[in-house]
Amino acid sequence: MAVCGHPGAGRQYCGTGPYRVGENSSIANIRRFISESLSQQSETQKVTQAMADRRVAITLGVGGAVFALTRDWRRLASVFLVDYACALKLSTPIAFKSIMYRAAQSGLLLKGGRAIEKLAAVDTVVFDKTGTLTHGDMQVTEVVSFDQERAWAERMLAIAASVEEHSNHPLAKAVVASAHHHALPHINHGEVEYVIAHGLLCELDGHRMAIGSRHFLEAHYQVVFSPYEVEITALAQQGCHLLFISLDERLVGMIGLQDNVRADALDVIAQLHQSGIDRIVLLTGDRVEKAQQLANALAMDECVAECTPESKVDVVQALQQQGRNVLFIGDGVNDAPVLAQADVGLAMNQSTELAQQAADAVLMQDNLHGVVLARELALEAMKLVHSNIALTEWVNSGIMLTSALGGLSPGSSALLHNGTTLAVLLRALAARRTNVTR
C-alpha cells in the first residue's frame, strides 16, 4: 500500500493481507442438493426414451415382414431378440450420473442431467463481480494526506479504522483490516453517527470529522475538493474506490481501495473463450469507468455498470431474447432471481443458501476453475451420450438386418444384442473415472 502526503510530504509503507468473509454450505444443503439432482430428468433422457419406444414398433414391424415373407420362426425370433430400449433408456442417465460423480469428486455439484445439457449449450457467460471475479473483501492500496500537521497518513488510517469499525460496509471492513495489519493504535473519538449510503460522522479532539464519498462531503458539508483534483483523478484512474476524510469541513485526506481480484480470474476467462464461449459479460454496481477497467483487465467482452438486482435480471433476459444461452455466476442473496432466470445458474461456494437453492450448479471450492470444469464435463457428457446413442442405433440395426437376412441364429442375435447393451452401459460407467470421449 503506497501512502503519500500532499506534494512534498510523502511517506510510504506497503501491503495488507486479505480479509475474507462468508460461510461454507452446510452438509444438509449439500445432501438436499444431491437428492434433487438425482431426480432431475433431462430432455435428452426424454428423447431417448421416446426413441426406444418407437424402436419397439420398428422391431415388431420388421419381424412381422420377415415372417410374412419367409415363414421362418427362427428368423422371427432372431429379429425380436434385438431390443434398442435397454441401451437407449439406461445409458443416458448412467452417463449423466457418472459425470455428476466426477464433478462432485472435483468440488462441483451439478443438479442433474438437465443442468448438464444446458451447460453444454451455453454460449454466453455473465459474471456478477463481487464474490465471484473478486473476493468478498477489498484492500487498502493508497492513503493520501492533504494535511500533514493534523492528519499524517498513518494517523489518518488509524483514525479512519477506529471510526469505521462501527460499520459493516465492505469498505469499512477493509480499512479496519489494513489498520490491524499495520498494528496501528486505536484512536479515541466521540459517538459515531452512521448516515445510510453516505458515510460516518463523529467528534475527534473537538473537531467534527466526516468520512465518506465525495458527494456526501461536498453536498452536505460544502467541503472543497478543487485544490486536490490531480491526486483524486490519479487514484480514480487506477480504478480505486475512494473514501474521503474531512475535519471541520476541510478535506484532510483520502483512502484508495481496490477490489481483491481472484488470481485465477484472467486464466478462467481465457479458458472459457477457448471452450467455445463467444461472449463474457461483467455485471457490477460500480461506476462505468471502474467497471470498464476491470472488464478490460480480464479480457471480457462487455460490462454493464451501476446494476441493481432487478436490472441484472433484465440484462440476462435481454441476452436470452437475442437467442443466447446464458450461464450466470453469482453468490449473493440478491442474485437468486437472476440465477433462476438464467439458462444455467452457478453459485459460488460461499454463496447464500437462497442462491444455492436457485442455482443449477454449486462450486464447493473457493476458486473459479470449477466454472471451466463444469463446461468441459458438460461437453464431454453430451458427446458421450450422443456417441452411445449412435453406437446403439448402428450396431443393433446391423444385428437386426443380419438376423432378418437369416445370417444370425436367435442365440447369436441375443448374445450380440446383450453384449452391445453391456458395452454401452460400461462405457457410460467408465466416465466416472476417465475421459472416454477424447
Side-chain angles (χ1 to χ4, degrees):
M1 174 184 67
V3 180
C4 48
H6 200 251
R11 308 184 51 147
Q12 292 191 346
Y13 56 97
C14 300
T16 184
Y19 181 77
R20 306 190 183 283
V21 296
E23 297 179 358
N24 293 326
S25 302
S26 68
I27 297 298
N29 289 337
I30 295 172
R31 186 186 302 114
R32 183 168 58 252
F33 190 99
I34 292 173
S35 177
E36 292 173 359
S37 300
L38 294 174
S39 66
Q40 295 281 345
Q41 189 177 51
S42 68
E43 288 301 316
T44 304
Q45 287 176 254
K46 296 177 183 177
V47 169
T48 52
Q49 288 180 358
M51 288 174 60
D53 292 340
R54 287 195 298 269
R55 295 307 182 272
V56 173
I58 292 173
T59 300
L60 291 173
V62 171
V66 166
F67 185 74
L69 293 172
T70 66
R71 300 294 174 176
D72 187 338
W73 289 99
R74 288 174 58 82
R75 287 199 194 187
L76 176 62
S78 297
V79 171
F80 277 0
L81 285 168
V82 179
D83 178 20
Y84 295 81
C86 292
L88 287 176
K89 289 185 176 181
L90 294 178
S91 66
T92 298
I94 289 175
F96 283 145
K97 287 175 174 59
S98 295
I99 292 297
M100 289 167 60
Y101 175 84
R102 269 185 46 206
Q105 292 291 98
S106 301
L108 170 67
L109 298 183
L110 296 174
K111 191 178 286 186
R114 190 162 53 194
I116 293 173
E117 274 180 335
K118 291 180 177 179
L119 271 167
V122 161
D123 55 22
T124 302
V125 176
V126 177
F127 284 93
D128 184 51
K129 188 198 76 171
T130 304
T132 54
L133 292 172
T134 66
H135 293 286
D137 60 338
M138 301 187 72
Q139 292 183 322
V140 173
T141 58
E142 303 281 343
V143 178
V144 179
S145 173
F146 300 134
D147 187 342
Q148 286 293 306
E149 293 184 4
R150 292 197 298 171
W152 59 93
E154 291 93 334
R155 175 172 168 78
M156 190 167 58
L157 180 59
I159 292 171
S162 300
V163 175
E164 293 281 12
E165 67 183 5
H166 300 280
S167 171
N168 287 322
H169 193 280
L171 295 181
K173 291 180 178 180
V175 170
V176 172
S178 180
H180 286 170
H181 178 75
H182 293 289
L184 299 180
H186 182 275
I187 306 297
N188 292 327
H189 55 79
E191 183 177 349
V192 176
E193 178 184 352
Y194 177 51
V195 183
I196 297 175
H198 288 293
L200 300 174
L201 302 172
C202 78
E203 292 292 323
L204 178 72
D205 298 332
H207 302 284
R208 184 216 290 268
M209 184 174 73
I211 303 176
S213 67
R214 177 168 181 167
H215 171 77
F216 176 49
L217 270 61
E218 276 186 323
H220 296 271
Y221 299 99
Q222 291 73 53
V223 175
V224 177
F225 283 74
S226 55
Y228 314 107
E229 291 292 355
V230 173
E231 293 88 342
I232 294 171
T233 302
L235 281 191
Q237 289 177 345
Q238 295 175 24
C240 287
H241 292 271
L242 299 181
L243 196 62
F244 296 95
I245 302 171
S246 70
L247 288 175
D248 296 329
E249 287 70 54
R250 181 171 179 271
L251 188 65
V252 296
M254 62 180 174
I255 297 174
L257 304 97
Q258 291 273 17
D259 289 308
N260 190 5
V261 179
R262 292 179 182 272
D264 55 356
L266 182 60
D267 183 48
V268 165
I269 289 170
Q271 291 182 51
L272 287 173
H273 275 127
Q274 293 168 6
S275 75
I277 302 297
D278 60 17
R279 193 168 179 182
I280 299 181
V281 181
L282 167 67
L283 296 189
T284 175
D286 293 343
R287 297 174 64 181
V288 174
E289 298 82 0
K290 180 171 175 54
Q292 192 61 58
Q293 285 176 339
L294 180 60
N296 292 341
L298 296 179
M300 304 181 81
D301 302 299
E302 182 182 344
C303 72
V304 181
E306 301 178 11
C307 286
T308 64
E310 295 77 16
S311 66
K312 291 178 183 179
V313 175
D314 294 338
V315 170
V316 170
Q317 285 179 332
L319 290 168
Q320 291 171 325
Q321 288 168 4
Q322 296 171 19
R324 292 191 166 273
N325 295 306
V326 180
L327 164 63
F328 177 82
I329 305 163
D331 79 325
V333 65
N334 290 330
D335 292 332
V338 66
L339 283 165
Q341 173 64 41
D343 296 281
V344 185
L346 190 151
M348 298 296 290
N349 74 310
Q350 295 182 343
S351 57
T352 62
E353 182 178 346
L354 182 59
Q356 293 186 7
Q357 289 177 348
D360 300 291
V362 178
L363 297 179
M364 301 307 296
Q365 298 177 354
D366 192 27
N367 65 68
L368 286 174
H369 285 293
V371 179
V372 178
L373 175 67
R375 170 73 172 170
E376 291 178 344
L377 288 178
L379 291 173
E380 179 183 336
M382 296 312 298
K383 186 174 181 180
L384 174 60
V385 165
H386 291 312
S387 65
N388 277 346
I389 291 172
L391 182 62
T392 299
E393 290 275 290
W394 282 101
V395 173
N396 280 300
S397 296
I399 296 170
M400 182 179 291
L401 177 61
T402 305
S403 298
L405 295 174
L408 290 173
S409 66
S412 298
S413 176
L415 182 64
L416 288 171
H417 157 68
N418 289 321
T420 301
T421 299
L422 287 173
V424 169
L425 297 182
L426 289 172
R427 194 166 182 259
L429 281 171
R432 289 163 57 100
R433 298 182 298 277
T434 182
N435 185 336
V436 299
T437 63
R438 293 183 183 177

